[in-house]
Amino acid sequence: MEHNLEYTISLLSHTPDTLNALLRNLPEEWTQRNEGENTWSSFDVVGHLVHGELTDWMPRARMILEHGESRTFEPFDRFAQERASKGKTLGQLLDEFESLRAEKLSELKALNLRSEDLAKRGRHPELGIVTLSQLLATWAVHDMTHLHQISRIMAHQYRHAVGPWSAYLGVLRCSSHGS
Amino acid sequence: MEHNLEYTISLLSHTPDTLNALLRNLPEEWTQRNEGENTWSSFDVVGHLVHGELTDWMPRARMILEHGESRTFEPFDRFAQERASKGKTLGQLLDEFESLRAEKLSELKALNLRSEDLAKRGRHPELGIVTLSQLLATWAVHDMTHLHQISRIMAHQYRHAVGPWSAYLGVLRCSSHGS
C-alpha cells in the first residue's frame, strides 16, 4: 500500500507499549544476551531506538521541510547507543523510549503535514534524494525491523533447547539480512 | 542456554500483552493484509496461536506425562484457524488468546514439574522422540517465530513506500524460512 500518514502514526504509537509488554521484567537471560560476537542484545536494540528518536527521524523531517535537497542529513550513528546506554537499566531505556516517542509524535502531528509536504525532497548521505513520505514510512518499518530482530535474538537463546523442533521454527534460520 | 522452566513461563506470559499492544486498534490495513497468495495476515497468525493453545502445547505435555513414547501426538493442523477464526474480530481473537494462555500457564504451573519430568519422552508424528523440556522450549520459540512473522507481514505493506531505504531494512528481505 502507499504511504498513509495516519497509519504510520498509528503503528509508531504502538511500539513503546509493545516493547514494554515484551521485554520489561523478563529475566536478563532473555534481554541481555545477543547472537554472538558483534551482535546486539534486546537491551542494545532498545538503546538504538532511543538514539533514533533523538537524532534521526524528526530532525531529518525538519531538515527536509526547512532545507529541502540543499542540506544532507547527518549520518546516523548505529553504534551510539553503546555509549548512551552505559549504566542504564532496560527499564530506564524503555521509559526513555516511551517518552521520546510520545514527544516526537506530538511534534509530527503539530506539523499538520499535507500531501504536498509529504512529497518534499531531502538528501540522504548515501541514498541520495528521498522524500518526507519515504522517511516517515521508514520510521515505521524501522520499528518492525527491530521487533523482528528482537524476536530472533530471543529465539536464538533456545536454539538448542528446542531439539528436533528447530526444523519447524523459521526464526531460528533467519539471518540478520544485513540489517 | 539450556531450557529453564521459569524463563519459559516468563516469556510465554508476556506474549498476550505484546500482541495486544502491537495489534489491537491498529487500522485493518496493517492487520488484515498478508504477504501475497497463500500467506497469512496478522489476524490469521493470532488465530493460529489460539488454536495452538487449544490443541498443541498442553495437550501434548499431558500426553508425554501420561503415556510417554507409547502414544504419538495428534498432528497439529496449521490451517485450522481459517475455520475457527471465521466471523471473529481481531479483538475477539486477542481476548481468546489472552484467556487461553493464562489458563494453560496455570495448568503448567500446577504440574509442579521437576527435572526428571522435563526429561520425559514422547513421540512426535514426524520428528520422532522428543522430550517434555524440548516441547516447552518450542512453545516459547513458537511465540517468537510468529512475532517475527507479524513484524515481517506489517513491514511488507510498506515495502514500496520506504523507497530507497528498503536497502537498509532487513525485515523486507526476510523470506519466511519455511515457517
Side-chain angles (χ1 to χ4, degrees), chain A:
Chain A
M1 66 183 171
E2 297 199 355
H3 179 247
N4 175 304
L5 185 58
E6 182 200 333
Y7 299 164
T8 298
I9 290 173
S10 179
L11 194 62
L12 288 168
S13 69
H14 281 228
T15 307
D17 283 350
T18 303
L19 293 177
N20 214 32
L22 179 61
L23 299 174
R24 194 183 290 264
N25 302 323
L26 269 191
E28 291 200 343
E29 283 74 8
W30 289 122
T31 59
Q32 294 285 351
R33 293 190 187 199
N34 62 22
E35 297 173 284
E37 207 179 345
N38 293 321
T39 65
W40 287 355
S41 66
S42 296
F43 175 87
D44 296 327
V45 174
V46 179
H48 167 74
L49 290 169
V50 166
H51 186 70
E53 296 303 296
L54 286 168
T55 66
D56 192 339
W57 312 107
M58 282 304 293
R60 286 179 171 192
R62 289 189 187 285
M63 192 178 282
I64 291 175
L65 292 169
E66 289 164 25
H67 303 284
E69 298 168 40
S70 69
R71 279 204 9 210
T72 303
F73 302 151
E74 293 293 319
F76 185 52
D77 181 353
R78 284 189 258 187
F79 299 95
Q81 78 279 356
E82 286 177 27
R83 301 184 295 279
S85 302
K86 208 155 238 162
K88 294 185 181 161
T89 65
L90 177 59
Q92 286 173 308
L93 291 181
L94 289 166
D95 288 342
E96 277 183 48
F97 180 61
E98 183 174 9
S99 89
L100 281 168
R101 174 59 59 91
E103 177 187 319
K104 298 299 173 181
L105 288 181
S106 295
E107 288 177 28
L108 175 60
K109 290 175 198 165
L111 292 173
N112 284 314
L113 296 172
R114 296 157 305 171
S115 57
E116 55 265 40
D117 297 315
L118 291 168
K120 286 185 177 159
R121 293 146 61 105
R123 191 176 295 277
H124 186 283
E126 290 172 8
L127 300 172
I129 300 299
V130 293
T131 66
L132 179 55
S133 168
Q134 290 166 346
L135 174 72
L136 297 174
T138 299
W139 190 3
V141 175
H142 182 262
D143 278 8
M144 293 299 105
T145 215
H146 286 296
L147 186 59
H148 183 258
Q149 180 183 23
I150 288 172
S151 61
R152 190 188 69 225
I153 297 167
M154 300 222 285
H156 181 84
Q157 311 311 321
Y158 263 5
R159 66 196 178 284
H160 301 307
V162 298
W165 265 289
S166 62
Y168 292 172
L169 295 161
V171 69
L172 296 175
R173 286 190 298 288
C174 184
S175 70
S176 69
H177 318 292
S179 73

Side-chain angles (χ1 to χ4, degrees), chain B residues 66-90:
Chain B
E66 288 164 25
H67 303 284
E69 299 167 41
S70 70
R71 286 219 345 224
T72 303
F73 303 152
E74 293 293 320
F76 184 51
D77 181 352
R78 283 189 257 185
F79 299 95
Q81 78 280 357
E82 285 178 28
R83 299 184 296 279
S85 302
K86 209 155 237 159
K88 292 185 182 162
T89 65
L90 177 60

